[in-house]
Protein backbone atom coordinates (compact mmCIF):
# COMPACT_ATOMS: atom_id res chain seq x y z
CA UNK A 1 0.00 0.00 0.00
CA UNK A 2 3.01 2.30 -0.18
CA UNK A 3 1.74 3.75 -3.46
CA UNK A 4 -1.67 4.44 -1.95
CA UNK A 5 -0.08 6.20 1.01
CA UNK A 6 2.07 8.38 -1.21
CA UNK A 7 -0.94 9.32 -3.31
CA UNK A 8 -3.04 9.92 -0.22
CA UNK A 9 -0.43 12.30 1.19
CA UNK A 10 -0.48 14.32 -2.04
CA UNK A 11 -4.27 14.47 -2.09
CA UNK A 12 -4.40 15.59 1.55
CA UNK A 13 -1.79 18.24 0.81
CA UNK A 14 -3.31 19.50 -2.45
CA UNK A 15 -6.97 19.47 -1.51
CA UNK A 16 -6.66 20.17 2.20
CA UNK A 17 -8.95 17.26 3.10
CA UNK A 18 -8.92 14.86 6.04
CA UNK A 19 -6.84 11.73 5.58
CA UNK A 20 -9.85 9.66 6.63
CA UNK A 21 -11.89 10.98 3.70
CA UNK A 22 -9.35 9.78 1.15
CA UNK A 23 -10.76 6.32 0.45
CA UNK A 24 -10.42 4.32 -2.77
CA UNK A 25 -13.97 5.11 -3.87
CA UNK A 26 -13.95 8.80 -2.94
CA UNK A 27 -14.72 11.04 -5.93
CA UNK A 28 -12.40 14.03 -6.27
CA UNK A 29 -15.20 16.37 -7.27
CA UNK A 30 -18.20 15.06 -5.33
CA UNK A 31 -16.57 13.84 -2.12
CA UNK A 32 -13.35 15.81 -1.86
CA UNK A 33 -14.60 19.14 -3.24
CA UNK A 34 -12.01 19.50 -5.99
CA UNK A 35 -12.55 21.92 -8.87
CA UNK A 36 -10.99 21.67 -12.34
CA UNK A 37 -7.87 23.63 -11.37
CA UNK A 38 -7.44 21.44 -8.25
CA UNK A 39 -7.49 18.36 -10.47
CA UNK A 40 -4.91 19.79 -12.89
CA UNK A 41 -2.68 20.63 -9.93
CA UNK A 42 -3.19 17.18 -8.44
CA UNK A 43 -2.25 15.53 -11.73
CA UNK A 44 0.88 17.73 -11.92
CA UNK A 45 1.82 16.78 -8.37
CA UNK A 46 1.33 13.07 -9.09
CA UNK A 47 3.44 13.38 -12.24
CA UNK A 48 6.24 14.91 -10.21
CA UNK A 49 6.00 12.44 -7.34
CA UNK A 50 6.07 9.37 -9.57
CA UNK A 51 8.16 10.75 -12.42
CA UNK A 52 5.64 9.93 -15.10
CA UNK A 53 3.52 11.80 -17.57
CA UNK A 54 -0.26 11.57 -17.41
CA UNK A 55 -1.72 12.54 -20.81
CA UNK A 56 -4.85 14.73 -20.85
CA UNK A 57 -7.09 11.94 -22.15
CA UNK A 58 -5.96 9.67 -19.28
CA UNK A 59 -6.25 12.45 -16.71
CA UNK A 60 -9.88 12.99 -17.70
CA UNK A 61 -10.68 9.40 -16.75
CA UNK A 62 -9.34 9.83 -13.22
CA UNK A 63 -12.47 10.59 -11.20
CA UNK A 64 -11.89 8.76 -7.94
CA UNK A 65 -8.92 8.14 -5.68
CA UNK A 66 -9.05 4.51 -6.81
CA UNK A 67 -8.75 5.59 -10.47
CA UNK A 68 -5.58 7.49 -9.64
CA UNK A 69 -4.11 4.64 -7.58
CA UNK A 70 -4.85 2.06 -10.27
CA UNK A 71 -3.52 4.28 -13.06
CA UNK A 72 -0.24 4.84 -11.26
CA UNK A 73 0.17 1.26 -10.03
CA UNK A 74 -0.26 -0.01 -13.60
CA UNK A 75 2.64 2.16 -14.70
CA UNK A 76 5.14 1.62 -11.90
CA UNK B 1 9.95 48.89 -0.32
CA UNK B 2 6.80 47.54 -1.83
CA UNK B 3 8.43 44.91 -4.06
CA UNK B 4 11.16 43.77 -1.63
CA UNK B 5 12.23 40.20 -2.24
CA UNK B 6 10.16 39.80 -5.40
CA UNK B 7 11.46 38.38 -8.67
CA UNK B 8 10.10 39.95 -11.86
CA UNK B 9 10.43 38.95 -15.49
CA UNK B 10 9.99 41.85 -17.90
CA UNK B 11 9.85 41.01 -21.60
CA UNK B 12 11.21 43.53 -24.06
CA UNK B 13 13.09 45.27 -21.26
CA UNK B 14 16.08 46.59 -23.16
CA UNK B 15 14.40 49.82 -24.25
CA UNK B 16 11.37 52.05 -23.99
CA UNK B 17 8.49 51.19 -21.66
CA UNK B 18 10.02 47.79 -20.75
CA UNK B 19 13.23 49.41 -19.57
CA UNK B 20 11.30 51.95 -17.49
CA UNK B 21 9.25 49.13 -15.94
CA UNK B 22 12.42 47.20 -15.07
CA UNK B 23 13.90 50.26 -13.37
CA UNK B 24 10.70 51.20 -11.55
CA UNK B 25 10.38 47.70 -10.11
CA UNK B 26 14.07 47.56 -9.23
CA UNK B 27 13.55 50.90 -7.49
CA UNK B 28 10.86 49.18 -5.42
CA UNK B 29 13.50 46.52 -4.55
CA UNK B 30 12.58 43.70 -6.92
CA UNK B 31 15.16 41.54 -8.71
CA UNK B 32 14.71 41.79 -12.45
CA UNK B 33 14.99 39.39 -15.38
CA UNK B 34 15.59 41.54 -18.44
CA UNK B 35 14.36 39.70 -21.49
CA UNK B 36 15.30 41.09 -24.87
CA UNK B 37 15.22 39.96 -28.50
CA UNK B 38 17.98 41.74 -30.38
CA UNK B 39 19.66 44.66 -28.63
CA UNK B 40 22.16 43.04 -26.26
CA UNK B 41 23.96 46.34 -25.59
CA UNK B 42 20.73 48.09 -24.58
CA UNK B 43 19.68 45.13 -22.39
CA UNK B 44 23.06 45.23 -20.65
CA UNK B 45 22.57 48.96 -20.02
CA UNK B 46 19.22 48.27 -18.35
CA UNK B 47 20.90 45.54 -16.27
CA UNK B 48 23.66 47.92 -15.19
CA UNK B 49 21.06 50.46 -14.09
CA UNK B 50 19.24 47.76 -12.09
CA UNK B 51 22.50 46.70 -10.42
CA UNK B 52 23.31 50.30 -9.61
CA UNK B 53 20.06 50.42 -7.64
CA UNK B 54 21.38 47.39 -5.75
CA UNK B 55 19.17 44.66 -7.15
CA UNK B 56 20.03 41.51 -9.06
CA UNK B 57 19.63 41.59 -12.82
CA UNK B 58 19.62 38.64 -15.19
CA UNK B 59 19.84 39.44 -18.88
CA UNK B 60 18.18 36.78 -21.02
CA UNK B 61 17.91 36.76 -24.79
CA UNK B 62 14.81 34.93 -26.01
CA UNK B 63 12.34 35.28 -28.83
CA UNK B 64 9.12 35.49 -26.84
CA UNK B 65 7.09 34.20 -29.78
CA UNK B 66 8.98 30.89 -29.46
CA UNK B 67 7.33 28.62 -26.88
CA UNK B 68 10.44 26.55 -26.29
CA UNK B 69 12.76 29.51 -25.78
CA UNK B 70 10.33 31.06 -23.30
CA UNK B 71 10.09 27.80 -21.32
CA UNK B 72 13.89 27.64 -21.18
CA UNK B 73 14.01 31.23 -19.96
CA UNK B 74 11.54 30.54 -17.15
CA UNK B 75 13.39 27.33 -16.21
CA UNK B 76 16.60 29.35 -15.97
CA UNK B 77 14.93 31.99 -13.81
CA UNK B 78 13.60 29.33 -11.43
CA UNK B 79 17.06 27.76 -11.25
CA UNK B 80 18.73 31.14 -10.56
CA UNK B 81 16.18 32.85 -8.31
CA UNK B 82 14.05 29.95 -7.08
CA UNK B 83 10.73 31.60 -8.07
CA UNK B 84 8.87 34.05 -10.27
CA UNK B 85 6.55 36.48 -8.50
CA UNK B 86 5.88 38.97 -11.27
CA UNK B 87 5.56 38.67 -15.03
CA UNK B 88 5.26 41.73 -17.25
CA UNK B 89 4.39 41.03 -20.86
CA UNK B 90 5.73 44.14 -22.50
CA UNK B 91 7.51 42.94 -25.64
CA UNK B 92 5.91 44.29 -28.76
CA UNK B 93 6.53 45.40 -32.30
CA UNK B 94 4.63 47.30 -34.98
CA UNK B 95 4.28 46.57 -38.69
CA UNK B 96 1.84 49.34 -39.56
CA UNK B 97 0.02 49.53 -42.85
CA UNK B 98 -3.48 50.00 -44.20
CA UNK B 99 -5.25 46.67 -44.55
CA UNK B 100 -5.15 47.01 -48.34
CA UNK B 101 -1.36 47.03 -48.17
CA UNK B 102 -0.75 44.84 -45.12
CA UNK B 103 1.10 41.62 -45.89
CA UNK B 104 0.16 38.32 -44.34
CA UNK B 105 3.62 38.23 -42.81
CA UNK B 106 3.03 41.63 -41.12
CA UNK B 107 -0.10 40.23 -39.54
CA UNK B 108 1.49 36.95 -38.44
CA UNK B 109 4.63 38.51 -37.01
CA UNK B 110 2.76 41.08 -34.94
CA UNK B 111 0.36 38.43 -33.64
CA UNK B 112 3.25 36.16 -32.70
CA UNK B 113 5.39 38.76 -30.95
CA UNK B 114 2.60 40.79 -29.32
CA UNK B 115 0.01 38.13 -28.44
CA UNK B 116 1.31 34.57 -28.69
CA UNK B 117 4.27 35.72 -26.60
CA UNK B 118 1.93 36.30 -23.66
CA UNK B 119 0.44 32.84 -24.05
CA UNK B 120 3.99 31.46 -23.96
CA UNK B 121 5.12 33.36 -20.90
CA UNK B 122 1.92 32.88 -18.90
CA UNK B 123 1.90 29.15 -19.66
CA UNK B 124 5.50 28.89 -18.49
CA UNK B 125 5.05 30.83 -15.22
CA UNK B 126 1.59 29.45 -14.38
CA UNK B 127 2.94 26.25 -12.87
CA UNK B 128 5.41 27.83 -10.43
CA UNK B 129 2.93 30.60 -9.57
CA UNK B 130 0.06 28.15 -8.94
CA UNK B 131 2.35 26.09 -6.72
CA UNK B 132 3.47 29.18 -4.83
CA UNK B 133 -0.13 30.43 -4.48
CA UNK B 134 1.15 33.83 -5.55
CA UNK B 135 1.57 35.76 -8.75
CA UNK B 136 1.23 39.12 -10.42
CA UNK B 137 0.86 39.19 -14.19
CA UNK B 138 0.64 42.49 -16.05
CA UNK B 139 0.07 42.67 -19.78
CA UNK B 140 0.99 45.83 -21.62
CA UNK B 141 -1.90 46.39 -24.01
CA UNK B 142 -2.69 49.73 -25.69
CA UNK B 143 -5.48 52.26 -26.10
CA UNK B 144 -5.39 51.10 -29.71
CA UNK B 145 -6.56 47.67 -28.53
CA UNK B 146 -9.61 49.30 -26.98
CA UNK B 147 -10.51 51.89 -29.60
CA UNK B 148 -8.80 50.86 -32.84
CA UNK B 149 -6.52 52.84 -35.10
CA UNK B 150 -6.30 53.07 -38.89
CA UNK B 151 -3.12 51.48 -40.17
CA UNK B 152 -2.78 49.23 -37.12
CA UNK B 153 -5.21 46.36 -37.75
CA UNK B 154 -2.61 43.81 -36.69
CA UNK B 155 -1.31 45.72 -33.69
CA UNK B 156 -4.79 46.68 -32.45
CA UNK B 157 -6.06 43.12 -32.84
CA UNK B 158 -3.09 41.72 -30.90
CA UNK B 159 -3.47 44.34 -28.15
CA UNK B 160 -7.23 43.65 -27.92
CA UNK B 161 -6.36 39.95 -27.77
CA UNK B 162 -4.18 40.64 -24.75
CA UNK B 163 -7.22 42.06 -22.97
CA UNK B 164 -9.26 38.90 -23.58
CA UNK B 165 -6.31 36.86 -22.39
CA UNK B 166 -5.97 39.05 -19.29
CA UNK B 167 -9.59 38.57 -18.28
CA UNK B 168 -9.61 34.82 -18.91
CA UNK B 169 -6.39 34.33 -16.98
CA UNK B 170 -7.72 36.47 -14.13
CA UNK B 171 -10.69 34.11 -13.83
CA UNK B 172 -8.65 30.93 -14.27
CA UNK B 173 -5.81 31.78 -11.90
CA UNK B 174 -7.66 33.96 -9.40
CA UNK B 175 -8.44 31.04 -7.06
CA UNK B 176 -4.66 30.62 -6.62
CA UNK B 177 -4.02 34.22 -5.56
CA UNK B 178 -2.62 35.22 -8.94
CA UNK B 179 -3.80 38.57 -10.24
CA UNK B 180 -3.78 39.35 -13.95
CA UNK B 181 -4.24 42.89 -15.16
CA UNK B 182 -3.50 44.97 -18.22
CA UNK B 183 -2.40 48.53 -18.77
CA UNK B 184 -3.46 50.41 -21.88
CA UNK B 185 -0.90 53.13 -22.59
CA UNK B 186 -1.83 55.98 -24.91
CA UNK B 187 0.78 57.98 -26.81
CA UNK B 188 4.05 57.34 -25.06
CA UNK B 189 7.36 58.80 -26.22
CA UNK B 190 9.49 55.81 -27.24
CA UNK B 191 11.36 54.60 -30.32
CA UNK B 192 8.02 53.21 -31.46
CA UNK B 193 6.34 56.63 -31.64
CA UNK B 194 9.35 58.79 -32.47
CA UNK B 195 8.67 58.72 -36.23
CA UNK B 196 5.60 60.96 -35.72
CA UNK B 197 5.86 64.38 -37.38
CA UNK B 198 5.70 67.50 -35.15
CA UNK B 199 2.26 68.25 -36.63
CA UNK B 200 1.01 64.77 -35.77
CA UNK B 201 2.37 65.14 -32.23
CA UNK B 202 0.67 68.50 -31.93
CA UNK B 203 -2.63 67.06 -33.11
CA UNK B 204 -2.33 64.10 -30.72
CA UNK B 205 -1.44 66.30 -27.79
CA UNK B 206 -4.54 68.42 -28.27
CA UNK B 207 -6.68 65.29 -27.74
CA UNK B 208 -5.01 64.52 -24.40
CA UNK B 209 -6.52 66.04 -21.25
CA UNK B 210 -3.12 66.39 -19.59
CA UNK B 211 -1.93 68.15 -22.74
CA UNK B 212 1.30 66.20 -23.18
CA UNK B 213 2.50 62.89 -24.53
CA UNK B 214 3.26 60.23 -21.94
CA UNK B 215 6.69 59.06 -20.81
CA UNK B 216 7.75 55.43 -20.28
CA UNK B 217 7.96 56.28 -16.57
CA UNK B 218 4.27 57.26 -16.57
CA UNK B 219 3.45 53.68 -17.57
CA UNK B 220 6.11 52.02 -15.43
CA UNK B 221 4.76 53.45 -12.19
CA UNK B 222 1.34 51.94 -12.80
CA UNK B 223 2.83 48.56 -13.69
CA UNK B 224 4.95 48.52 -10.52
CA UNK B 225 1.85 49.48 -8.52
CA UNK B 226 -0.18 46.62 -10.08
CA UNK B 227 2.69 44.25 -9.23
CA UNK B 228 2.57 45.25 -5.57
CA UNK B 229 0.45 44.06 -2.68
CA UNK B 230 -1.37 47.39 -2.75
CA UNK B 231 -3.27 45.72 -5.60
CA UNK B 232 -4.05 42.35 -3.98
CA UNK B 233 -7.74 42.78 -4.75
CA UNK B 234 -7.52 44.11 -8.31
CA UNK B 235 -7.66 41.56 -11.11
CA UNK B 236 -8.93 41.33 -14.67
CA UNK B 237 -8.75 45.11 -15.07
CA UNK B 238 -7.48 47.28 -17.90
CA UNK B 239 -5.97 50.49 -16.56
CA UNK B 240 -5.71 53.29 -19.10
CA UNK B 241 -2.44 55.24 -18.88
CA UNK B 242 -3.19 57.77 -21.57
CA UNK B 243 -3.32 61.20 -19.96
CA UNK B 244 -7.06 61.25 -20.41
CA UNK B 245 -7.52 60.65 -24.14
CA UNK B 246 -10.57 58.56 -23.37
CA UNK B 247 -12.75 58.75 -20.29
Amino acid sequence: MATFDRIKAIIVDQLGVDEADVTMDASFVDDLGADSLDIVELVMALEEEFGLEIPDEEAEKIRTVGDAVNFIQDRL
Amino acid sequence: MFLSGKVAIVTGASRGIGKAIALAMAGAQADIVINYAGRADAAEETAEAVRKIGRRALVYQADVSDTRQVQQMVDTVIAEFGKVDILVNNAGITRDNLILRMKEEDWDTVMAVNLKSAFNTIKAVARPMVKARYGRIINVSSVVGLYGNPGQANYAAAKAGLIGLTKSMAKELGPRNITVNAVAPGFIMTDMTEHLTPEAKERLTSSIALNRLGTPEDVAGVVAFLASDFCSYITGQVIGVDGGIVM
Side-chain angles (χ1 to χ4, degrees):
Chain A
M1 286 309 272
T3 306
F4 175 70
D5 287 337
R6 283 164 75 190
I7 294 171
K8 183 157 85 175
I10 289 171
I11 294 169
V12 166
D13 181 46
Q14 286 288 334
L15 303 181
V17 292
D18 269 356
E19 232 176 272
D21 294 332
V22 185
T23 58
M24 284 293 273
D25 56 0
S27 153
F28 288 115
V29 174
D30 299 330
D31 301 317
L32 302 177
D35 64 16
S36 56
L37 188 52
D38 287 323
I39 290 175
V40 172
E41 273 197 86
L42 190 61
V43 167
M44 284 175 4
L46 292 171
E47 286 177 332
E48 272 177 32
E49 172 74 16
F50 293 96
L52 45 80
E53 199 153 315
I54 306 175
D56 286 348
E57 54 274 23
E58 294 295 332
E60 277 164 27
K61 291 184 210 151
I62 298 177
R63 294 174 196 282
T64 65
V65 175
D67 293 340
V69 172
N70 292 332
F71 178 89
I72 285 164
Q73 263 169 353
D74 286 351
R75 279 157 188 81
L76 287 181
Chain B
M1 283 303 285
F2 60 86
L3 297 178
S4 286
K6 300 287 195 255
V7 175
I9 298 176
V10 184
T11 69
S14 60
R15 293 179 288 156
I17 294 175
K19 178 180 185 176
I21 291 169
L23 296 183
M25 294 204 299
Q29 300 299 301
D31 293 331
I32 312 290
V33 179
I34 295 150
N35 158 262
Y36 72 101
R39 293 279 303 276
D41 54 334
E44 202 46 61
E45 253 177 55
T46 307
E48 265 319 300
V50 167
R51 291 182 191 119
K52 214 172 250 172
I53 296 169
R55 303 311 307 170
R56 290 179 71 190
L58 174 70
V59 174
Y60 198 102
Q61 196 270 333
D63 172 359
V64 284
S65 68
D66 184 320
T67 308
R68 198 181 44 84
Q69 288 186 35
V70 169
Q71 185 62 55
Q72 282 171 349
M73 173 172 74
V74 171
D75 289 346
T76 304
V77 173
I78 297 289
E80 288 279 321
F81 294 91
K83 60 173 185 167
V84 182
D85 300 295
I86 300 160
L87 165 68
V88 181
N89 284 311
N90 166 76
I93 57 165
T94 54
R95 294 283 184 276
D96 296 353
N97 220 329
L98 297 174
I99 194 80
L100 291 166
R101 315 267 314 161
M102 188 176 284
K103 296 188 182 74
E104 182 184 5
E105 190 196 331
D106 296 333
W107 176 272
D108 289 344
T109 309
V110 167
M111 281 296 156
V113 175
N114 295 14
L115 181 57
K116 188 187 176 189
S117 57
F119 160 76
N120 288 336
T121 53
I122 294 173
K123 189 170 164 59
V125 302
R127 193 169 181 143
M129 282 185 179
V130 161
K131 273 185 144 180
R133 297 285 190 270
Y134 186 90
R136 295 275 183 271
I137 298 172
I138 299 115
N139 296 318
V140 179
S141 179
S142 167
V143 282
V144 162
L146 289 165
Y147 304 102
N149 200 23
Q152 291 199 302
N154 49 2
Y155 186 78
K159 291 299 189 181
L162 278 177
I163 292 172
L165 178 67
T166 298
K167 293 179 180 180
S168 299
M169 291 302 93
K171 290 185 176 180
E172 227 174 89
L173 301 173
R176 296 300 180 271
N177 191 33
I178 298 165
T179 68
V180 189
N181 291 290
V183 293
F187 297 105
I188 308 298
M189 291 179 285
T190 65
D191 295 352
M192 214 185 255
T193 48
E194 110 185 318
H195 64 275
L196 293 171
T197 61
E199 296 77 49
K201 276 187 187 157
E202 183 63 44
R203 204 176 53 243
L204 286 173
T205 306
S206 67
S207 67
I208 300 170
L210 290 173
N211 202 34
R212 64 172 178 87
L213 300 186
T215 65
E217 291 71 27
D218 287 329
V219 180
V222 180
V223 172
F225 174 63
L226 286 171
S228 76
D229 288 338
F230 294 128
C231 293
S232 314
Y233 204 55
I234 296 179
T235 196
Q237 302 303 306
V238 183
I239 314 286
V241 190
D242 61 8
I245 300 173
V246 252
M247 288 179 236

